[in-house]
């Protein structure tokens, strides 16, 4: 994020400002700030407010609500990557004494634990944390609403448990761990648990009249991991860049990529929303976005990233309801992508090539269904269906000479090349599926065999 911002064209900047202005006016929020990140750098910031002579800057803090959860998820995945826990571990193994110790870390991260959406007792977002001093107070007597692992059910108490898990394994409050392990390395000096000047005040706006009501600003205590943080557009641009590319000082690109994959691949090809590990996934305007939205009394926030466009957007408002910061952020991404589409990197040949792998490229057949196999950088393979339907996937090369599927039906499945005595490739085996050089090639080892009479006319 160092260096001068990449300049957008004047027409693009005006379109972005227009969208922000419409959002502030129609959403009736005291102020609305936005920013766009392109190629990992802040490319544009804007602000609109009710005071003509005083617009908020990118250094003004707003409360970011449930965006906090993506930060907590990073802390948990750091523990996983260090070998201190496994996502399949029951909570009891690392945080004993709760009434829901059988739930797994993965279920809590992905909101599939079945825990209640909210705490018992008074509305936790508007009341002091002293009312809920212990985890038992945020869980209550009957904390489970659904069988674990059966369905997505958003749970704020679930992330309170994850914050406590981080504190237990690190031996320090989760906020201190966050500052030391994430915020400081990323240069996010204006992201804090409690507001630090300059910061916006939070308001509710009457639904039927243009009048405002101040909202309370409470320290939520043990519920903090669900929505406590305050931040600025400048800091959240750094966060968006991190979510796009990762940072080895905090979390590897591979682990960050895991966060933004749906925890359960949707079967509906028209799916519009999903959830990964601490990140929401959204389809809008024909593009896939990942990030998170947030709300607390008096505040709304969004950070969304389009990997395909290499564009991210941040939107922050100081109003309780009445507008949708996610829609505005998605529109900011769309405006940049349409006005200034991403220029692809120039094509370059591979630096070196394994002749045996090169010989594998070209047509293959699963039965009579045609596919093509392409060789990519780092010995990666890409299988593409050529028919009207088919299972395409990318495969990562492994040290043992096999490949692991990265997406689609073959995610996690193993591809291996089966060779005959002279070293010639006989067929490809993908999880027991046999792909041959000719449709139902008689010489290949095809389960069930091939009719000896071969292909024939009717």
């Amino acid at each position: 994020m160092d260096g001068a911002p990449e300049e957008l064209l004047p027409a693009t900047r005006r379109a972005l400002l227009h969208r922000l202005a419409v959002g502030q006016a129609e959403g009736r929020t005291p102020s609305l700030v936005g920013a766009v990140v392109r190629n990992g750098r802040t490319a544009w910031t804007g602000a609109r407010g009710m005071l003509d002579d005083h617009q908020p800057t990118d250094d003004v803090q707003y409360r970011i609500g449930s965006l906090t959860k993506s930060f907590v998820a990073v802390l948990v995945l750091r523990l996983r990557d260090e070998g201190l826990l496994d996502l399949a571990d029951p909570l009891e193994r690392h945080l004993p004494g709760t009434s829901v110790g059988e739930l797994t870390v993965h279920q809590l991260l992905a909101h599939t634990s079945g825990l209640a959406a909210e705490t018992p007792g008074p509305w936790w977002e508007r009341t002091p944390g002293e009312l809920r001093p212990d985890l038992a107070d945020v869980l209550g007597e009957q904390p489970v609403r659904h069988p674990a692992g059966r369905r997505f059910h958003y749970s704020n108490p679930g992330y309170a448990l994850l914050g406590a898990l981080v504190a237990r394994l690190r031996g320090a409050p989760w906020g201190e761990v966050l500052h030391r392990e994430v915020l400081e390395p990323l240069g996010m000096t204006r992201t804090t648990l409690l507001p630090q000047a300059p910061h916006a005040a939070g308001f509710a706006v009457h639904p039927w009249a243009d009048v405002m009501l101040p909202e309370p600003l409470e320290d939520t205590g043990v519920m903090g991991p669900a929505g406590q943080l305050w931040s600025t557009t400048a800091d959240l641009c750094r966060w968006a860049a991190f979510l796009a590319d990762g940072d080895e000082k905090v979390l590897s690109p591979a682990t960050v990529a895991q966060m933004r994959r749906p925890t359960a691949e949707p079967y509906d090809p028209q799916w519009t929303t999903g959830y990964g590990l601490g990140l929401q996934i959204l389809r809008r305007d024909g593009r896939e976005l990942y990030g998170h939205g947030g709300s607390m009394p008096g505040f709304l926030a969004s950070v969304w990233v389009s990997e395909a466009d290499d564009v991210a957007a941040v939107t922050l408002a100081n109003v309780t309801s009445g507008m949708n910061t996610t829609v505005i952020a998605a529109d900011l991404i769309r405006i940049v992508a349409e006005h200034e589409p991403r220029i692809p990197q120039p094509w370059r040949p591979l630096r070196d090539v394994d002749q045996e792998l090169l010989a594998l490229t070209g047509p293959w057949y699963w039965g009579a269904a045609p596919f093509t196999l392409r060789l990519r950088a780092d010995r990666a393979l890409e299988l593409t269906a050529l028919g009207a339907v088919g299972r395409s996937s990318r495969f990562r090369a492994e040290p043992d000479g096999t490949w692991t599927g990265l997406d689609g039906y073959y995610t996690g499945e193993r591809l291996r090349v089966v060779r005959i005595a002279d070293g010639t490739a006989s067929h490809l085996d993908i999880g027991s599926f046999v792909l041959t050089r000719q449709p139902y090639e008689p010489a290949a080892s095809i389960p069930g065999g091939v009719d000896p009479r071969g292909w024939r006319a009717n």
Side-chain angles (χ1 to χ4, degrees), residues 38-56:
R38 185 171 64 171
N39 300 327
R41 297 178 180 272
T42 303
W44 175 85
T45 60
R48 295 289 289 185
M50 62 185 185
L51 302 176
D52 293 335
D53 58 346
H54 182 69
Q55 300 298 314

Side-chain angles (χ1 to χ4, degrees), residues 279-325:
L279 289 179
Q280 297 170 317
I281 302 105
L282 171 69
R283 278 184 174 175
R284 183 177 173 82
D285 301 323
R287 56 177 47 86
E288 186 172 313
L289 309 176
Y290 60 87
H292 218 290
S295 66
M296 288 292 279
F299 294 94
L300 296 168
S302 286
V303 173
W304 292 96
V305 183
S306 170
E307 182 179 12
D309 299 302
D310 199 11
V311 176
V314 177
T315 47
L316 302 173
N318 58 333
V319 69
T320 301
S321 58
M323 66 177 307
N324 192 324
T325 53

Side-chain angles (χ1 to χ4, degrees), residues 14-27:
R14 176 168 177 77
L16 293 170
L17 181 59
H18 177 266
R19 182 63 185 93
L20 205 68
V22 169
Q24 188 270 339
E26 294 183 350

Side-chain angles (χ1 to χ4, degrees), residues 157-200:
Y159 268 74
L161 291 172
L162 291 174
L165 170 67
V166 170
R168 177 66 178 261
L169 292 181
R170 290 303 196 202
W174 75 274
E176 292 182 13
V177 179
L178 178 67
H179 176 78
R180 180 177 67 248
E181 297 188 7
V182 177
L183 302 179
E184 190 173 278
L186 295 179
M188 298 178 64
T189 60
R190 292 281 290 142
T191 301
T192 56
L193 290 177
L194 297 174
Q196 296 180 359
H199 66 84

Side-chain angles (χ1 to χ4, degrees), residues 64-72 154 226-227 229 236 239 243 278 291-295 301-303 315-316:
I64 63 173
S66 287
L67 269 168
T68 303
K69 294 180 175 70
S70 61
F71 290 82
V72 174
Y154 195 88
L229 288 179
L236 291 177
W239 185 242
L243 293 179
H292 218 290
S295 66
S302 286
V303 173
T315 47
L316 302 173

Side-chain angles (χ1 to χ4, degrees), residues 33-170:
V33 294
V36 167
V37 177
R38 185 171 64 171
N39 300 327
R41 297 178 180 272
T42 303
W44 175 85
T45 60
R48 295 289 289 185
M50 62 185 185
L51 302 176
D52 293 335
D53 58 346
H54 182 69
Q55 300 298 314
T57 70
D58 63 1
D59 191 48
V60 173
Q61 280 190 332
Y62 290 69
R63 202 165 195 178
I64 63 173
S66 287
L67 269 168
T68 303
K69 294 180 175 70
S70 61
F71 290 82
V72 174
V74 167
L75 293 178
V76 174
L77 289 169
R78 282 176 58 86
L79 294 169
R80 190 280 305 272
D81 287 357
E82 293 175 21
L84 297 179
L85 59 78
D86 190 285
L87 297 188
D89 289 344
L91 183 65
E92 180 73 15
R93 183 172 300 174
H94 307 288
L95 187 67
T98 73
S99 61
V100 291
E102 73 282 1
L103 302 178
T104 69
V105 177
H106 186 278
Q107 289 167 348
L108 294 170
L109 282 172
H111 294 293
T112 57
S113 67
L115 285 177
E118 305 295 347
T119 66
W123 188 356
W124 68 271
E125 295 175 337
R126 292 177 56 88
T127 54
E130 287 84 352
L131 297 178
R132 298 165 295 277
D134 300 313
L135 288 177
D137 301 313
V138 307
L139 293 173
E141 296 182 1
Q142 296 181 321
V144 177
R145 298 289 186 269
H146 306 282
R150 295 284 184 88
R151 61 177 293 169
F152 174 85
H153 186 68
Y154 195 88
S155 173
N156 284 298
Y159 268 74
L161 291 172
L162 291 174
L165 170 67
V166 170
R168 177 66 178 261
L169 292 181
R170 290 303 196 202

